[in-house]
Amino acid sequence: MMAFKLEYGSFPDVQTAKAVIEKTKTELDLNGDTANDYFRQLIASGAVKSENPFFVATPYSKKNPDNDMTGNEALNAGEVGFGYIMNGNTAIVGDNPNQIIVAAPLLNANTNGEFDASCLNRRAVLVHVDGSVSLQHIRENNKVDIGEGKTLLETGQGTIWGTQVTPVLKPPKMKRR
């Protein structure tokens, strides 16, 4: 993520998708609004060489990555277990190293900040802007405490987001049943 940010000026979002397409002439589909779509920019740009970093086994991501990253095959539904956190529809700026940009396992691949306690021994995996990873206990209400009793998507004074960020969780693409 940091290498991508250095190259394109921010973490993946709609604007960087345009820049990646222009620079790389990729045939990968970078349109869409799921975690898969935003993470696909990392592959198209060359910052990531495998689908494996995006996978974690969850009820919605059971397909082990096949590392077929051609055409429409890169990061298909079921190959991504992480959600991607943005500031509305733009990338997180990355000034606060405590802010979280990637999270798993989401309960039913939802966007409300609830986690699936049936996975990973009741732990959530949170990837921070600075590249550090933390494991947090999933509470009985399926939320995760990220400091001072605040949960992942809470905003305002005393949160990792402050008052200037509106965290929006972009879910991984689920396989259609």
Side-chain angles (χ1 to χ4, degrees), residues 124-154:
V125 177
L126 306 174
V127 180
H128 300 260
V129 165
D130 67 0
S132 65
V133 177
S134 63
L135 295 175
Q136 298 295 327
H137 178 75
I138 300 171
R139 303 187 313 205
E140 291 299 318
N141 67 355
N142 298 320
K143 300 284 185 169
V144 172
D145 182 358
I146 57 168
E148 299 183 33
K150 306 294 183 183
T151 60
L152 182 63
L153 300 179
E154 282 187 73

Side-chain angles (χ1 to χ4, degrees), residues 102-176:
V102 178
L106 305 176
L107 183 62
N108 300 319
N110 72 46
T111 59
N112 65 3
E114 291 183 340
F115 290 85
D116 190 336
S118 72
C119 305
L120 307 176
N121 199 25
R122 295 195 63 83
R123 299 277 188 250
V125 177
L126 306 174
V127 180
H128 300 260
V129 165
D130 67 0
S132 65
V133 177
S134 63
L135 295 175
Q136 298 295 327
H137 178 75
I138 300 171
R139 303 187 313 205
E140 291 299 318
N141 67 355
N142 298 320
K143 300 284 185 169
V144 172
D145 182 358
I146 57 168
E148 299 183 33
K150 306 294 183 183
T151 60
L152 182 63
L153 300 179
E154 282 187 73
T155 61
Q157 263 332 77
T159 69
I160 60 171
W161 309 112
T163 58
Q164 303 300 311
V165 174
T166 304
V168 174
L169 189 54
K170 303 297 181 172
K173 190 178 294 183
M174 293 177 53
K175 285 186 145 194
R176 292 187 182 154

Side-chain angles (χ1 to χ4, degrees), residues 9-116:
S10 81
F11 295 125
D13 64 14
V14 173
Q15 295 305 312
T16 59
K18 293 173 187 173
V20 170
I21 290 168
E22 187 176 301
K23 182 172 185 174
T24 67
K25 310 296 186 227
T26 185
E27 294 182 10
L28 297 180
D29 182 6
L30 304 186
N31 297 310
D33 197 34
T34 67
N36 302 50
D37 300 313
Y38 293 109
F39 293 153
R40 201 172 291 119
Q41 292 183 43
L42 300 171
I43 291 172
S45 71
V48 176
K49 308 277 189 224
S50 166
E51 294 176 322
N52 295 338
F54 308 103
F55 181 76
V56 61
T58 69
Y60 54 85
S61 60
K62 294 181 179 180
K63 181 183 176 189
N64 284 325
D66 57 14
N67 286 314
D68 182 350
M69 297 180 292
T70 59
N72 292 326
E73 296 300 313
L75 298 178
N76 280 327
E79 293 180 331
V80 174
F82 290 94
Y84 178 54
I85 302 172
M86 299 178 74
N87 181 10
N89 287 317
T90 59
I92 295 293
V93 173
D95 293 339
N96 179 347
N98 294 319
Q99 289 178 337
I100 298 163
I101 53 173
V102 178
L106 305 176
L107 183 62
N108 300 319
N110 72 46
T111 59
N112 65 3
E114 291 183 340
F115 290 85
D116 190 336

